[in-house]
mmCIF file of all heavy atoms in Angstrom:
data_model
loop_
_atom_site.group_PDB
_atom_site.id
_atom_site.type_symbol
_atom_site.label_atom_id
_atom_site.label_comp_id
_atom_site.label_asym_id
_atom_site.label_seq_id
_atom_site.Cartn_x
_atom_site.Cartn_y
_atom_site.Cartn_z
ATOM 1 N N LEU B 293 -78.973 8.638 22.663
ATOM 2 C CA LEU B 293 -78.512 9.915 22.128
ATOM 3 C C LEU B 293 -77.063 10.169 22.492
ATOM 4 O O LEU B 293 -76.286 10.655 21.655
ATOM 5 C CB LEU B 293 -79.409 11.045 22.632
ATOM 6 C CG LEU B 293 -80.823 11.082 22.086
ATOM 7 C CD1 LEU B 293 -81.678 12.079 22.842
ATOM 8 C CD2 LEU B 293 -80.807 11.393 20.610
ATOM 9 N N ILE B 294 -76.674 9.854 23.718
ATOM 10 C CA ILE B 294 -75.285 10.009 24.133
ATOM 11 C C ILE B 294 -74.394 9.113 23.305
ATOM 12 O O ILE B 294 -73.327 9.520 22.829
ATOM 13 C CB ILE B 294 -75.139 9.717 25.651
ATOM 14 C CG1 ILE B 294 -75.792 10.821 26.454
ATOM 15 C CG2 ILE B 294 -73.673 9.584 26.026
ATOM 16 C CD1 ILE B 294 -75.900 10.504 27.935
ATOM 17 N N SER B 295 -74.828 7.881 23.085
ATOM 18 C CA SER B 295 -74.055 6.937 22.299
ATOM 19 C C SER B 295 -73.847 7.431 20.866
ATOM 20 O O SER B 295 -72.740 7.346 20.327
ATOM 21 C CB SER B 295 -74.755 5.587 22.294
ATOM 22 O OG SER B 295 -74.105 4.677 21.464
ATOM 23 N N SER B 296 -74.894 7.965 20.264
ATOM 24 C CA SER B 296 -74.758 8.443 18.877
ATOM 25 C C SER B 296 -73.829 9.646 18.795
ATOM 26 O O SER B 296 -73.032 9.767 17.854
ATOM 27 C CB SER B 296 -76.123 8.766 18.294
ATOM 28 O OG SER B 296 -76.701 9.858 18.953
ATOM 29 N N LYS B 297 -73.887 10.531 19.785
ATOM 30 C CA LYS B 297 -72.985 11.689 19.781
ATOM 31 C C LYS B 297 -71.546 11.259 20.001
ATOM 32 O O LYS B 297 -70.621 11.814 19.400
ATOM 33 C CB LYS B 297 -73.395 12.717 20.838
ATOM 34 C CG LYS B 297 -74.746 13.313 20.623
ATOM 35 C CD LYS B 297 -74.893 13.911 19.245
ATOM 36 C CE LYS B 297 -76.302 14.361 19.026
ATOM 37 N NZ LYS B 297 -76.824 14.100 17.724
ATOM 38 N N ILE B 298 -71.305 10.262 20.844
ATOM 39 C CA ILE B 298 -69.933 9.777 21.058
ATOM 40 C C ILE B 298 -69.402 9.143 19.788
ATOM 41 O O ILE B 298 -68.220 9.326 19.449
ATOM 42 C CB ILE B 298 -69.904 8.794 22.245
ATOM 43 C CG1 ILE B 298 -70.116 9.556 23.544
ATOM 44 C CG2 ILE B 298 -68.578 8.022 22.297
ATOM 45 C CD1 ILE B 298 -70.229 8.694 24.765
ATOM 46 N N ILE B 299 -70.240 8.444 19.048
ATOM 47 C CA ILE B 299 -69.801 7.876 17.775
ATOM 48 C C ILE B 299 -69.406 8.983 16.802
ATOM 49 O O ILE B 299 -68.377 8.908 16.122
ATOM 50 C CB ILE B 299 -70.905 6.981 17.184
ATOM 51 C CG1 ILE B 299 -71.084 5.740 18.061
ATOM 52 C CG2 ILE B 299 -70.588 6.575 15.751
ATOM 53 C CD1 ILE B 299 -72.338 4.969 17.760
ATOM 54 N N ILE B 300 -70.203 10.030 16.725
ATOM 55 C CA ILE B 300 -69.883 11.168 15.849
ATOM 56 C C ILE B 300 -68.585 11.827 16.300
ATOM 57 O O ILE B 300 -67.746 12.197 15.469
ATOM 58 C CB ILE B 300 -71.045 12.178 15.818
ATOM 59 C CG1 ILE B 300 -72.251 11.550 15.116
ATOM 60 C CG2 ILE B 300 -70.640 13.459 15.115
ATOM 61 C CD1 ILE B 300 -73.504 12.364 15.229
ATOM 62 N N ILE B 301 -68.385 11.960 17.599
ATOM 63 C CA ILE B 301 -67.153 12.560 18.121
ATOM 64 C C ILE B 301 -65.945 11.721 17.749
ATOM 65 O O ILE B 301 -64.898 12.240 17.361
ATOM 66 C CB ILE B 301 -67.271 12.801 19.637
ATOM 67 C CG1 ILE B 301 -68.246 13.933 19.915
ATOM 68 C CG2 ILE B 301 -65.912 13.091 20.257
ATOM 69 C CD1 ILE B 301 -68.643 14.078 21.364
ATOM 70 N N ILE B 302 -66.065 10.406 17.871
ATOM 71 C CA ILE B 302 -64.956 9.505 17.498
ATOM 72 C C ILE B 302 -64.641 9.661 16.016
ATOM 73 O O ILE B 302 -63.467 9.737 15.622
ATOM 74 C CB ILE B 302 -65.290 8.052 17.853
ATOM 75 C CG1 ILE B 302 -65.318 7.860 19.355
ATOM 76 C CG2 ILE B 302 -64.264 7.102 17.240
ATOM 77 C CD1 ILE B 302 -65.835 6.494 19.788
ATOM 78 N N ILE B 303 -65.658 9.718 15.180
ATOM 79 C CA ILE B 303 -65.435 9.851 13.736
ATOM 80 C C ILE B 303 -64.795 11.203 13.418
ATOM 81 O O ILE B 303 -63.858 11.288 12.603
ATOM 82 C CB ILE B 303 -66.756 9.660 12.978
ATOM 83 C CG1 ILE B 303 -67.215 8.207 13.099
ATOM 84 C CG2 ILE B 303 -66.617 10.059 11.519
ATOM 85 C CD1 ILE B 303 -68.598 7.944 12.596
ATOM 86 N N LEU B 304 -65.266 12.278 14.035
ATOM 87 C CA LEU B 304 -64.662 13.586 13.808
ATOM 88 C C LEU B 304 -63.217 13.622 14.286
ATOM 89 O O LEU B 304 -62.344 14.165 13.590
ATOM 90 C CB LEU B 304 -65.475 14.675 14.514
ATOM 91 C CG LEU B 304 -66.788 15.071 13.881
ATOM 92 C CD1 LEU B 304 -67.532 16.038 14.765
ATOM 93 C CD2 LEU B 304 -66.536 15.680 12.517
ATOM 94 N N TYR B 305 -62.950 13.071 15.446
ATOM 95 C CA TYR B 305 -61.576 13.031 15.967
ATOM 96 C C TYR B 305 -60.674 12.232 15.034
ATOM 97 O O TYR B 305 -59.534 12.622 14.780
ATOM 98 C CB TYR B 305 -61.570 12.442 17.376
ATOM 99 C CG TYR B 305 -60.208 12.434 18.016
ATOM 100 C CD1 TYR B 305 -59.690 13.594 18.576
ATOM 101 C CD2 TYR B 305 -59.444 11.261 18.059
ATOM 102 C CE1 TYR B 305 -58.442 13.592 19.159
ATOM 103 C CE2 TYR B 305 -58.200 11.256 18.641
ATOM 104 C CZ TYR B 305 -57.704 12.421 19.188
ATOM 105 O OH TYR B 305 -56.453 12.425 19.763
ATOM 106 N N SER B 306 -61.211 11.138 14.515
ATOM 107 C CA SER B 306 -60.446 10.311 13.588
ATOM 108 C C SER B 306 -60.108 11.067 12.312
ATOM 109 O O SER B 306 -58.977 10.992 11.813
ATOM 110 C CB SER B 306 -61.247 9.055 13.253
ATOM 111 O OG SER B 306 -60.635 8.332 12.215
ATOM 112 N N SER B 307 -61.053 11.819 11.784
ATOM 113 C CA SER B 307 -60.783 12.549 10.553
ATOM 114 C C SER B 307 -59.907 13.765 10.788
ATOM 115 O O SER B 307 -59.090 14.117 9.922
ATOM 116 C CB SER B 307 -62.096 12.963 9.891
ATOM 117 O OG SER B 307 -62.783 13.890 10.693
ATOM 118 N N LEU B 308 -60.029 14.431 11.931
ATOM 119 C CA LEU B 308 -59.195 15.603 12.219
ATOM 120 C C LEU B 308 -57.740 15.236 12.435
ATOM 121 O O LEU B 308 -56.829 15.983 12.059
ATOM 122 C CB LEU B 308 -59.726 16.343 13.441
ATOM 123 C CG LEU B 308 -61.007 17.135 13.255
ATOM 124 C CD1 LEU B 308 -61.471 17.697 14.592
ATOM 125 C CD2 LEU B 308 -60.817 18.242 12.260
ATOM 126 N N ASN B 309 -57.495 14.091 13.053
ATOM 127 C CA ASN B 309 -56.131 13.700 13.396
ATOM 128 C C ASN B 309 -55.579 12.614 12.479
ATOM 129 O O ASN B 309 -54.507 12.067 12.764
ATOM 130 C CB ASN B 309 -56.072 13.242 14.848
ATOM 131 C CG ASN B 309 -56.356 14.390 15.785
ATOM 132 O OD1 ASN B 309 -55.908 15.495 15.589
ATOM 133 N ND2 ASN B 309 -57.152 14.103 16.803
ATOM 134 N N ASP B 310 -56.263 12.300 11.401
ATOM 135 C CA ASP B 310 -55.839 11.300 10.419
ATOM 136 C C ASP B 310 -55.515 9.962 11.088
ATOM 137 O O ASP B 310 -54.418 9.427 10.939
ATOM 138 C CB ASP B 310 -54.641 11.825 9.621
ATOM 139 C CG ASP B 310 -54.410 11.046 8.356
ATOM 140 O OD1 ASP B 310 -55.388 10.488 7.819
ATOM 141 O OD2 ASP B 310 -53.243 10.978 7.903
ATOM 142 N N LEU B 311 -56.477 9.463 11.823
ATOM 143 C CA LEU B 311 -56.345 8.174 12.520
ATOM 144 C C LEU B 311 -57.470 7.235 12.055
ATOM 145 O O LEU B 311 -58.488 7.087 12.717
ATOM 146 C CB LEU B 311 -56.421 8.374 14.041
ATOM 147 C CG LEU B 311 -55.366 9.276 14.663
ATOM 148 C CD1 LEU B 311 -55.723 9.581 16.098
ATOM 149 C CD2 LEU B 311 -53.996 8.661 14.532
ATOM 150 N N PRO B 312 -57.294 6.583 10.909
ATOM 151 C CA PRO B 312 -58.401 5.785 10.365
ATOM 152 C C PRO B 312 -58.745 4.555 11.189
ATOM 153 O O PRO B 312 -59.860 4.034 11.079
ATOM 154 C CB PRO B 312 -57.882 5.390 8.980
ATOM 155 C CG PRO B 312 -56.423 5.506 9.048
ATOM 156 C CD PRO B 312 -56.132 6.583 10.051
ATOM 157 N N PHE B 313 -57.842 4.065 12.022
ATOM 158 C CA PHE B 313 -58.157 2.877 12.820
ATOM 159 C C PHE B 313 -59.236 3.142 13.862
ATOM 160 O O PHE B 313 -59.877 2.204 14.343
ATOM 161 C CB PHE B 313 -56.889 2.322 13.502
ATOM 162 C CG PHE B 313 -56.329 3.208 14.557
ATOM 163 C CD1 PHE B 313 -56.736 3.056 15.888
ATOM 164 C CD2 PHE B 313 -55.403 4.182 14.267
ATOM 165 C CE1 PHE B 313 -56.221 3.856 16.874
ATOM 166 C CE2 PHE B 313 -54.879 4.985 15.249
ATOM 167 C CZ PHE B 313 -55.292 4.833 16.565
ATOM 168 N N LEU B 314 -59.469 4.409 14.210
ATOM 169 C CA LEU B 314 -60.520 4.721 15.163
ATOM 170 C C LEU B 314 -61.913 4.488 14.597
ATOM 171 O O LEU B 314 -62.875 4.365 15.363
ATOM 172 C CB LEU B 314 -60.393 6.177 15.633
ATOM 173 C CG LEU B 314 -59.229 6.466 16.579
ATOM 174 C CD1 LEU B 314 -59.199 7.943 16.923
ATOM 175 C CD2 LEU B 314 -59.304 5.629 17.836
ATOM 176 N N LEU B 315 -62.030 4.443 13.283
ATOM 177 C CA LEU B 315 -63.332 4.157 12.680
ATOM 178 C C LEU B 315 -63.804 2.742 13.022
ATOM 179 O O LEU B 315 -65.001 2.500 13.168
ATOM 180 C CB LEU B 315 -63.269 4.334 11.170
ATOM 181 C CG LEU B 315 -62.973 5.764 10.696
ATOM 182 C CD1 LEU B 315 -62.824 5.789 9.189
ATOM 183 C CD2 LEU B 315 -64.039 6.714 11.158
ATOM 184 N N ASP B 316 -62.860 1.821 13.186
ATOM 185 C CA ASP B 316 -63.222 0.473 13.624
ATOM 186 C C ASP B 316 -63.833 0.505 15.020
ATOM 187 O O ASP B 316 -64.811 -0.204 15.289
ATOM 188 C CB ASP B 316 -62.005 -0.449 13.613
ATOM 189 C CG ASP B 316 -61.456 -0.669 12.235
ATOM 190 O OD1 ASP B 316 -62.245 -0.562 11.270
ATOM 191 O OD2 ASP B 316 -60.245 -0.946 12.108
ATOM 192 N N PHE B 317 -63.261 1.314 15.897
ATOM 193 C CA PHE B 317 -63.817 1.435 17.239
ATOM 194 C C PHE B 317 -65.201 2.072 17.207
ATOM 195 O O PHE B 317 -66.095 1.687 17.981
ATOM 196 C CB PHE B 317 -62.889 2.268 18.130
ATOM 197 C CG PHE B 317 -61.619 1.586 18.481
ATOM 198 C CD1 PHE B 317 -60.415 2.015 17.965
ATOM 199 C CD2 PHE B 317 -61.632 0.480 19.316
ATOM 200 C CE1 PHE B 317 -59.234 1.380 18.287
ATOM 201 C CE2 PHE B 317 -60.460 -0.179 19.656
ATOM 202 C CZ PHE B 317 -59.261 0.277 19.131
ATOM 203 N N ALA B 318 -65.408 3.041 16.327
ATOM 204 C CA ALA B 318 -66.726 3.673 16.203
ATOM 205 C C ALA B 318 -67.770 2.672 15.709
ATOM 206 O O ALA B 318 -68.908 2.646 16.228
ATOM 207 C CB ALA B 318 -66.649 4.866 15.247
ATOM 208 N N ILE B 319 -67.389 1.832 14.751
ATOM 209 C CA ILE B 319 -68.326 0.813 14.253
ATOM 210 C C ILE B 319 -68.643 -0.196 15.339
ATOM 211 O O ILE B 319 -69.808 -0.576 15.561
ATOM 212 C CB ILE B 319 -67.742 0.118 13.010
ATOM 213 C CG1 ILE B 319 -67.709 1.100 11.848
ATOM 214 C CG2 ILE B 319 -68.565 -1.108 12.624
ATOM 215 C CD1 ILE B 319 -66.937 0.592 10.651
ATOM 216 N N PHE B 320 -67.622 -0.650 16.076
ATOM 217 C CA PHE B 320 -67.856 -1.606 17.166
ATOM 218 C C PHE B 320 -68.733 -0.993 18.248
ATOM 219 O O PHE B 320 -69.640 -1.651 18.780
ATOM 220 C CB PHE B 320 -66.526 -2.057 17.757
ATOM 221 C CG PHE B 320 -66.678 -2.938 18.961
ATOM 222 C CD1 PHE B 320 -67.093 -4.253 18.807
ATOM 223 C CD2 PHE B 320 -66.450 -2.464 20.231
ATOM 224 C CE1 PHE B 320 -67.260 -5.077 19.895
ATOM 225 C CE2 PHE B 320 -66.621 -3.266 21.330
ATOM 226 C CZ PHE B 320 -67.019 -4.578 21.167
ATOM 227 N N TYR B 321 -68.473 0.274 18.591
ATOM 228 C CA TYR B 321 -69.269 0.955 19.613
ATOM 229 C C TYR B 321 -70.725 1.097 19.171
ATOM 230 O O TYR B 321 -71.641 0.917 19.965
ATOM 231 C CB TYR B 321 -68.661 2.338 19.906
ATOM 232 C CG TYR B 321 -69.266 3.037 21.077
ATOM 233 C CD1 TYR B 321 -68.985 2.637 22.374
ATOM 234 C CD2 TYR B 321 -70.142 4.103 20.889
ATOM 235 C CE1 TYR B 321 -69.544 3.291 23.448
ATOM 236 C CE2 TYR B 321 -70.707 4.751 21.954
ATOM 237 C CZ TYR B 321 -70.404 4.339 23.246
ATOM 238 O OH TYR B 321 -70.974 4.975 24.300
ATOM 239 N N ALA B 322 -70.939 1.386 17.886
ATOM 240 C CA ALA B 322 -72.310 1.518 17.375
ATOM 241 C C ALA B 322 -73.033 0.183 17.415
ATOM 242 O O ALA B 322 -74.192 0.118 17.847
ATOM 243 C CB ALA B 322 -72.276 2.054 15.939
ATOM 244 N N LEU B 323 -72.376 -0.889 17.011
ATOM 245 C CA LEU B 323 -73.016 -2.215 17.023
ATOM 246 C C LEU B 323 -73.303 -2.683 18.440
ATOM 247 O O LEU B 323 -74.386 -3.218 18.720
ATOM 248 C CB LEU B 323 -72.136 -3.221 16.290
ATOM 249 C CG LEU B 323 -72.061 -3.066 14.791
ATOM 250 C CD1 LEU B 323 -71.039 -4.026 14.199
ATOM 251 C CD2 LEU B 323 -73.417 -3.276 14.157
ATOM 252 N N SER B 324 -72.345 -2.493 19.343
ATOM 253 C CA SER B 324 -72.585 -2.940 20.718
ATOM 254 C C SER B 324 -73.664 -2.090 21.391
ATOM 255 O O SER B 324 -74.469 -2.608 22.176
ATOM 256 C CB SER B 324 -71.285 -2.913 21.522
ATOM 257 O OG SER B 324 -70.796 -1.598 21.610
ATOM 258 N N GLY B 325 -73.716 -0.806 21.088
ATOM 259 C CA GLY B 325 -74.766 0.053 21.629
ATOM 260 C C GLY B 325 -76.137 -0.335 21.115
ATOM 261 O O GLY B 325 -77.124 -0.341 21.877
ATOM 262 N N PHE B 326 -76.228 -0.687 19.851
ATOM 263 C CA PHE B 326 -77.507 -1.108 19.272
ATOM 264 C C PHE B 326 -77.970 -2.407 19.910
ATOM 265 O O PHE B 326 -79.142 -2.520 20.315
ATOM 266 C CB PHE B 326 -77.363 -1.273 17.763
ATOM 267 C CG PHE B 326 -78.580 -1.829 17.095
ATOM 268 C CD1 PHE B 326 -79.710 -1.046 16.957
ATOM 269 C CD2 PHE B 326 -78.605 -3.135 16.641
ATOM 270 C CE1 PHE B 326 -80.851 -1.553 16.352
ATOM 271 C CE2 PHE B 326 -79.735 -3.644 16.031
ATOM 272 C CZ PHE B 326 -80.850 -2.848 15.886
ATOM 273 N N ILE B 327 -77.093 -3.383 20.013
ATOM 274 C CA ILE B 327 -77.471 -4.673 20.611
ATOM 275 C C ILE B 327 -77.843 -4.511 22.077
ATOM 276 O O ILE B 327 -78.824 -5.092 22.540
ATOM 277 C CB ILE B 327 -76.335 -5.699 20.407
ATOM 278 C CG1 ILE B 327 -76.203 -6.037 18.934
ATOM 279 C CG2 ILE B 327 -76.575 -6.959 21.236
ATOM 280 C CD1 ILE B 327 -74.964 -6.832 18.586
ATOM 281 N N GLY B 328 -77.087 -3.684 22.784
ATOM 282 C CA GLY B 328 -77.412 -3.443 24.188
ATOM 283 C C GLY B 328 -78.767 -2.771 24.359
ATOM 284 O O GLY B 328 -79.533 -3.112 25.261
#
């Protein structure tokens, strides 16, 4: 649950500050969290 909320926070921060490269980090974090 913490991992999913952090992913949502990264995506929101990326959209609020117009930083599209952070979406790559969110995808990587989601995949590594799932595998872990």
Side-chain angles (χ1 to χ4, degrees):
L293 290 170
I294 290 171
S295 175
S296 66
K297 297 306 173 220
I298 289 175
I299 292 166
I300 292 171
I301 289 169
I302 291 171
I303 292 170
L304 285 174
Y305 183 79
S306 171
S307 66
L308 287 175
N309 294 319
D310 196 28
L311 301 170
F313 68 91
L314 287 178
L315 296 176
D316 295 333
F317 290 111
I319 291 170
F320 175 74
Y321 189 74
L323 289 173
S324 62
F326 174 72
I327 292 170

